[in-house]
Amino acid sequence: MNRREFLEVLAAGAAAGLALDAPEAHAQGDADALYRFPKFGNVALLHFTDCHAQLLPVYFREPSVNIGVGAAAGRPPHLVGEHLLKAFGIKPGTREAHAFTFLAFERAARTYGKVGGFAHLATLVKRLRADRPGALLLDGGDTWQGSGLALWTKGADMIAACRLLGVDVMTGHWEFTYGEKRVKAAVESELGQIEFVAQNVKTADFGDPVFKPAATRTVNGVPVAIIGQAFPYTPIANPRHFIPDWTMGIQEEALQKHVEAARAGGAQVVVLLSHNGMDVDLKLASRVRGIDAILGGHTHDGVPQPTIVKNAGGQTLVTNAGSNTKFLGVLDLDVQGGKVADFRYRLLPVFANLLPADPEMDALVKRLRAPHEAKLGEKLATTEGLLYRRGNFNGTFDQLILDAMLEVKGAEIAFSPGFRWGTTILPGGAITLEHVLDQTAITYPQCTLSDLTGERIKEVLEDVCDNLFNPDPYLQQGGDMVRVGGLTFACAPAAKIGSRISDLRLRGKPLDPGRTYKVAGWAPVAEGAQGEPIWEVVVRYLKDRKTIAPRKLNLPRLEGVAGNPGLA
Amino acid sequence: MDRSRRIVLKGAGATGALAAALAAGLLRPGVAAAAWNKAAFDAKTTADAMKALGYAGAVESKDIQIRAPEIAENGAVVPIDITSNIPGTTSISVFIEKNPFPYTGTFDVSQGALPFVHLRAKIGESSPVRVVVTAGGKHFTAAKEVKVTIGGCGG
């Protein structure tokens, strides 16, 4: 029996419910199997996205609910659990199965350990670059937001870490929530070698470009153009008042012109570094000609292999590289005769136990954290259950936030936004201030209490649900459904706006469209909203309890999606 | 970026762009003084407004290009660009179908001017933006959907 066969037997045993063997004994073998693979071609692009300011290794549970409707039903990225493993030929019970799915999450997380962390990512980047001279490192954005440290330093910690990591080009989304001035200052004088590109951010008055649309680099003698695509709906999904003079949108026509300009300028490889979200990228790839690959983010989908989309100009690869520094995408291109002849792609899970920390990055992260370490590490409570966020409708950490809002604000109903960032805590783990901020650290954290009529509440749910399940990806915003506390309802994702949400009930009684209810929420997009930061509400709730019992998820009763492979 | 251009036009006020277009002779001044079609402006449906304007039976055309955001960033001022590629275009009319009073207005295009207009319209809820172009006494139409959403909750 060779090593591979042995690992397969081990995997089969694990799938059959047997205990996983002591993993440290196989760590070297696992590391080799994952990270030692032959180089291919002559142009290598390394890609991470949506790291959400996670400098240290974390646990991150992938979703068990990620429903696709219309043309998106049953195709990547809308596959979860065993459906995903089957589609990509990943063996159940393996390290990779753990990386890409929620299956047996707690047990596998204890076996394989934490993922990501900039020091471990740095080691992987250095190894790959040693094999692939000239490889470019691309950051898809949502880099400066997602932790207490990043919020307190307005992203300066992440800028320092990304400079040291050797990021070449980035684009953005949550970066913009620090406001126009902060972003401009960073781009003009703090990013060092990093070029910030976004073809679809324009001034609201004359449509002048705010950032460079694209960066060009020569890799092994091959001219490569990287066009940036910021999250097109930032002024809608996040507060517009932070960026009042900027307008975004998908801007297909402008993109087509940039692609043609890049080709005319000699680019043999044209890549879109995109924060559109995977569904939007798939549609865009079918309509815009001449892009070799869209390296995508925003929707946090860890998709093992690219989707190949045919279009009038040939074909475009579409990838999505997960979140929280859990993955590094490696796209090896073989460029011959002025065009891409072939490719290899891997989405490498970054297992902290398999990749020693890079000493230089480790030292930087420690130095950045040192002034705040004691505050971040304050232990607020212990959780008895698994706390996570990802999923279309709710996560246990969101439920905890909802429960805290209902109690602390004295609300009948609570809403928590369907963000996709936020790390995971294993049962028995301490909940620190850092964990709470991992779920809540934004520049508009106000927790509000409002009077809403039953009719308005239904409208809000319908509106958000359409942003998730509209069959036209260009009309989606890439977040998950608003999490709802106190109120039960039914949801039919494949229905039309106005008829997806039904049977709204509060404590078993139908919601009265004409009555007014006390509704708590946070992250208001309107300017001037007042309220204490959401993390203070959650901290108070945690400190009052000390021990957090497993949360009971308030989930809508789903209609019309039985058998959907986006549903575990 | 041309800062002076921005300051000058901001000083000209909200109607600056339209005023500039008029001054350049691109639009006939008659646009302001034309007979007020009360029935069209008071109509509560696009069909009624089009009837009042004599546009009933307008033919769907692919030669009208409407540029508007897929999702409005601010429903109160949605930027809309309209280009007519129909030879002999003499007017461009705009209707926001779901607004309480859909008829937004008509731009008369003087001979030789490019049939291109830019306007900012209020769109109360997700709605098709319908355009009717008159050319050679005939009427042509096209529409583009603009979504208006409460916002928040993105990624």
Side-chain angles (χ1 to χ4, degrees), chain A residues 54-127:
Chain A
Q54 295 301 321
L55 288 171
L56 295 180
V58 297
Y59 294 112
F60 187 84
R61 179 191 182 274
E62 298 297 332
S64 46
V65 184
N66 188 13
I67 296 169
V69 297
R75 75 176 191 192
H78 298 285
L79 301 169
V80 299
E82 281 149 14
H83 302 293
L84 184 146
L85 297 184
K86 206 173 147 203
F88 291 103
I90 299 170
K91 285 194 190 305
T94 59
R95 237 179 223 289
E96 277 175 298
H98 170 55
F100 289 107
T101 71
F102 69 94
L103 297 167
F105 182 82
E106 183 196 339
R107 196 187 53 175
R110 291 195 197 281
T111 304
Y112 299 123
K114 291 187 174 179
V115 293
F118 262 60
H120 306 275
L121 179 63
T123 296
L124 184 56
V125 168
K126 279 184 181 173
R127 278 192 198 170

Side-chain angles (χ1 to χ4, degrees), chain A residues 307-384:
Chain A
T307 300
I308 299 174
V309 179
K310 306 274 183 211
N311 54 46
Q315 68 176 41
T316 301
L317 307 175
V318 177
T319 74
N320 211 269
S323 66
N324 287 275
T325 70
K326 185 174 174 180
F327 298 104
L328 180 68
V330 184
L331 179 62
D332 282 324
L333 298 171
D334 189 27
V335 182
Q336 300 297 338
K339 51 186 187 188
V340 174
D342 201 0
F343 76 94
R344 298 287 184 274
Y345 180 81
R346 285 170 193 255
L347 187 60
L348 300 176
V350 180
F351 282 106
N353 292 344
L354 300 186
L355 295 160
D358 175 70
E360 212 183 340
M361 184 65 82
D362 194 45
L364 175 68
V365 171
K366 285 199 172 91
R367 184 158 55 77
L368 291 168
R369 290 177 56 89
H372 311 280
E373 193 76 59
K375 192 174 171 190
L376 289 170
E378 184 192 355
K379 186 182 157 181
L380 305 167
T382 302
T383 179
E384 291 178 350

